[in-house]
């Protein structure tokens, strides 16, 4: 939402709602800027928060990109741009250069200079591996060592250094999965009705059409990584060059893809809150209060009233009437364990991720396939060993 344009696809707050309450950090970055980072976001947001506090107001940071919210709550970022020994070019340029390399080569390089960080990152996660390499190249210090230094500061913990704002609280709006999925699908339909296609066509014509023609489109950086843009890529590049029937099919394909990726992203957001805020013990994690939004007819009773009571309690320095959410965590869980699933040819990092993988549809599909092959092989071996030319019709194990 920091980028100018694509107001519908990024679900920006309407001008009418913005007039009800002062909003910041919306539509101020040129859409052609591809190296805007979370460090840039933090460096602009922090002075704004100080300005709001100075006016005796309460800043409300609205999600969802939780990684950006974490950058405001904790000391977790490393700003290589401020390092006097760094190369004169913009720091983010080096990261983009590194991301062009093969993932295995990137991971090998990181293993040589920062084996601890390499053990935490999956070789396929090129962006994080490239960032860690960039940090080492431009500071001379392993990324893992800098993170340890932050966590060991007074008040630090698993998520980083001490809380920047000690009297913070998190209000987590969550809904029943079925209700959330239905609402997200309806939101996509509403976006289409509000002019989504016209917005995408115009943006594509002005900013992306030439890049596509030269085969240098980039859906990994800047505003083009927004959910919804690459989902309509086929439709946008073929419009006017194919039959109306084909165009209609590609449009429907894009709409369905947008619905799927939106629901997937919502699940990731909820998983992030659980794993980062609820399963991290320590004094440097703000209390998280859950607000149930499954039934919008009960917004006043279930969301607005308890939220106001919680915030007022914090302002007045007393205990809120609501209890913060608590989730048990496994002290023995290894978040950095490495396992290779030979069936799926995948490296899985973390005990919880491994458990989730073994329950996933793709893994179970491969497992079922292998068992069928093994059963078929055993049955074929039995027939061959016995020399029998005939088999019973009742033997359902044979192919």
């Amino acid at each position: 939402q920091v980028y100018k344009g694509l107001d519908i696809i990024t679900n920006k707050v309407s001008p009418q709602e913005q007039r009800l309450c002062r909003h910041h950090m919306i539509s101020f970055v040129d859409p052609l800027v591809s190296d805007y980072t979370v460090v840039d976001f933090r460096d602009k947001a922090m002075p704004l928060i100080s300005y709001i506090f100075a006016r005796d107001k309460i800043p409300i940071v609205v999600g969802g990109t939780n990684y950006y919210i974490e950058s405001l709550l904790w000391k977790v970022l490393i700003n290589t741009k401020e390092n006097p020994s760094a190369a004169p070019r913009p720091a983010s340029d080096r990261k983009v250069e590194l991301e062009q390399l093969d993932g295995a080569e990137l991971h090998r390089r990181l293993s040589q200079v920062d084996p601890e960080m390499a053990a935490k990152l999956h070789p396929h996660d090129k962006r994080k591996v490239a960032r860690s390499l960039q940090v080492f190249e431009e500071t001379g210090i392993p990324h893992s060592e800098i993170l340890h230094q932050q966590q060991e500061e007074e008040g630090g913990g698993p998520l980083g250094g001490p809380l920047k704002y000690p009297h913070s609280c998190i209000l987590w709006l969550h809904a029943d999965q079925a209700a959330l999925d239905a609402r997200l699908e309806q939101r996509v339909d509403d976006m289409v009705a509000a002019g989504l296609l016209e917005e995408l066509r115009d943006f594509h014509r002005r900013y992306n059409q030439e890049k596509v023609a030269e085969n240098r489109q980039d859906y990994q950086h800047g505003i083009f990584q927004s959910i919804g843009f690459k989902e309509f890529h086929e439709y946008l590049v073929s419009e006017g060059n194919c039959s109306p029937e084909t165009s209609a099919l590609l449009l429907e394909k894009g709409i369905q893809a947008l619905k799927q990726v939106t629901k997937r992203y919502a699940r990731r957001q909820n998983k992030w809150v659980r794993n980062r805020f609820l399963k991290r013990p320590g004094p440097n994690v703000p209390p998280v209060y859950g607000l149930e939004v499954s039934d919008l007819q009960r917004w006043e009773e279930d969301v607005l009233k308890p939220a106001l009571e919680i915030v007022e309690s914090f302002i007045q320095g007393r205990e809120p009437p609501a209890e913060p959410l608590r989730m048990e965590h496994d002290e023995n869980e290894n978040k950095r364990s490495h396992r290779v699933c030979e069936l799926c040819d995948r490296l899985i990092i973390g005990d919880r991720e491994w458990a989730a993988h073994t329950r996933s549809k793709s893994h179970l599909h491969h497992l079922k396939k292998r068992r069928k092959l093994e059963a078929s092989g055993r049955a074929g071996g039995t027939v061959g060993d016995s020399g029998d030319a005939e088999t019973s019709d009742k033997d359902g194990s044979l192919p």
Side-chain angles (χ1 to χ4, degrees):
Q1 295 191 0
V2 300
Y3 294 97
K4 299 173 185 174
L6 292 183
D7 293 353
I8 297 174
I9 199 71
T10 56
N11 281 287
K12 286 176 183 164
V13 62
S14 68
Q16 293 82 1
E17 289 177 300
Q18 288 192 47
R19 285 195 286 270
L20 298 175
C21 176
R22 179 78 182 274
H23 288 68
H24 303 269
M25 306 289 287
I26 295 176
S27 298
F28 66 94
V29 179
D30 188 292
L32 294 183
V33 171
S34 63
D35 60 353
Y36 185 83
T37 69
V38 65
V39 173
D40 299 313
F41 173 84
R42 178 204 62 187
D43 291 347
K44 184 173 178 64
M46 297 290 289
L48 280 170
I49 291 174
S50 298
Y51 169 68
I52 294 169
F53 275 132
R55 292 188 295 118
D56 203 26
K57 302 289 185 182
I58 303 296
I60 302 172
V61 182
V62 182
T65 311
N66 296 307
Y67 178 52
Y68 280 58
I69 294 176
E70 286 191 15
S71 76
L72 303 180
L73 288 174
W74 292 279
K75 181 180 178 181
V76 292
L77 300 179
I78 300 155
N79 192 353
T80 57
K81 292 181 183 179
E82 294 175 353
N83 190 311
S85 63
R89 62 189 168 186
S92 53
D93 284 358
R94 179 55 181 156
K95 180 171 175 283
V96 173
E97 286 176 12
L98 288 168
E99 286 178 21
Q100 306 309 310
L101 299 175
D102 175 70
E105 170 62 16
L106 272 179
H107 200 263
R108 185 189 66 79
R109 291 190 188 186
L110 184 61
S111 299
Q112 292 176 339
V113 299
D114 192 350
E116 181 181 344
M117 205 67 196
K120 293 178 180 179
L121 299 177
H122 198 289
H124 293 168
D125 197 345
K126 289 178 67 173
R127 298 183 74 170
K128 288 185 179 178
V129 175
R131 173 57 178 163
S132 289
L133 265 177
Q134 178 203 2
V135 168
F136 176 77
E137 288 182 3
E138 297 177 359
T139 67
I141 305 171
H143 193 179
S144 58
E145 185 177 327
I146 297 176
L147 294 179
H148 282 310
Q149 291 171 358
Q150 291 178 345
Q151 293 169 0
E152 289 168 3
E153 291 182 26
E154 185 178 353
L159 288 177
L163 267 176
K164 294 175 183 174
Y165 308 103
H167 302 295
S168 308
C169 73
I170 297 172
L171 303 177
W172 180 31
L173 279 63
H174 57 88
D176 172 77
Q177 194 63 58
L180 178 60
D181 286 348
R183 197 173 301 162
L184 291 173
E185 292 211 3
Q186 183 60 51
R187 187 172 80 176
V188 172
D189 292 335
D190 292 343
M191 288 160 64
V192 173
L196 172 65
L197 299 180
E198 289 77 8
E199 178 183 85
L200 287 172
R201 282 192 199 100
D202 179 62
F203 201 87
H204 177 72
R205 178 180 53 78
R206 287 190 291 136
Y207 297 110
N208 206 39
Q209 197 165 35
E210 185 179 335
K211 291 183 178 182
V212 170
E214 297 173 0
N215 197 29
R216 58 184 181 90
Q217 73 272 15
D218 180 7
Y219 291 134
Q220 302 300 319
H221 298 92
I223 196 170
F224 295 102
Q225 66 185 315
S226 302
I227 287 178
F229 206 89
K230 52 184 171 291
E231 283 71 28
F232 286 94
H233 173 83
E234 283 187 87
Y235 171 73
L236 292 171
V237 299
S238 65
E239 195 175 24
N241 300 315
C242 62
S243 67
E245 293 79 14
T246 300
S247 187
L249 285 173
L250 290 174
L251 173 58
E252 183 59 26
K253 180 182 175 182
I255 292 172
Q256 293 306 316
L258 178 56
K259 289 181 177 181
Q260 288 301 318
V261 76
T262 302
K263 289 187 285 187
R264 199 177 305 134
Y265 183 63
R267 283 170 169 78
R268 286 207 307 271
Q269 288 177 312
N270 286 332
K271 184 180 178 182
W272 184 291
V273 172
R274 292 189 183 96
N275 290 343
R276 304 284 289 180
F277 298 154
L278 296 179
K279 293 187 178 181
R280 298 279 182 153
N284 73 331
V285 180
V288 179
Y289 296 90
L291 299 171
E292 174 64 51
V293 295
S294 296
D295 184 359
L296 293 181
Q297 300 299 317
R298 292 185 53 82
W299 176 267
E300 297 276 340
E301 308 97 301
D302 294 346
V303 184
L304 183 58
K305 185 181 176 186
L308 290 174
E309 289 175 347
I310 291 166
V311 173
E312 285 174 358
S313 298
F314 268 80
I315 293 172
Q316 296 167 8
R318 54 183 174 82
E319 284 294 315
E323 283 289 321
L325 295 173
R326 303 193 186 281
M327 189 176 289
E328 292 184 11
H329 60 277
D330 185 357
E331 295 284 358
N332 299 317
E333 179 190 350
N334 185 354
K335 294 181 173 62
R336 303 304 175 195
S337 63
H338 285 60
R339 295 183 180 90
V340 175
C341 178
E342 295 179 357
L343 269 179
C344 306
D345 191 25
R346 285 187 59 191
L347 169 65
I348 310 296
I349 298 178
D351 290 351
R352 191 182 306 126
E353 287 72 13
W354 175 255
H357 174 72
T358 57
R359 295 192 301 266
S360 68
K361 288 183 179 178
S362 61
H363 177 80
L364 294 175
H365 170 74
H366 284 105
L367 188 60
K368 184 178 179 182
K369 198 173 175 182
R370 186 178 73 174
R371 285 174 177 166
K372 279 186 176 179
L373 287 171
E374 288 175 347
S376 173
R378 282 196 301 271
T382 303
V383 172
D385 291 343
S386 66
D388 245 330
E390 296 181 4
T391 58
S392 166
D393 290 338
K394 296 177 181 178
D395 189 354
S397 67
L398 291 178

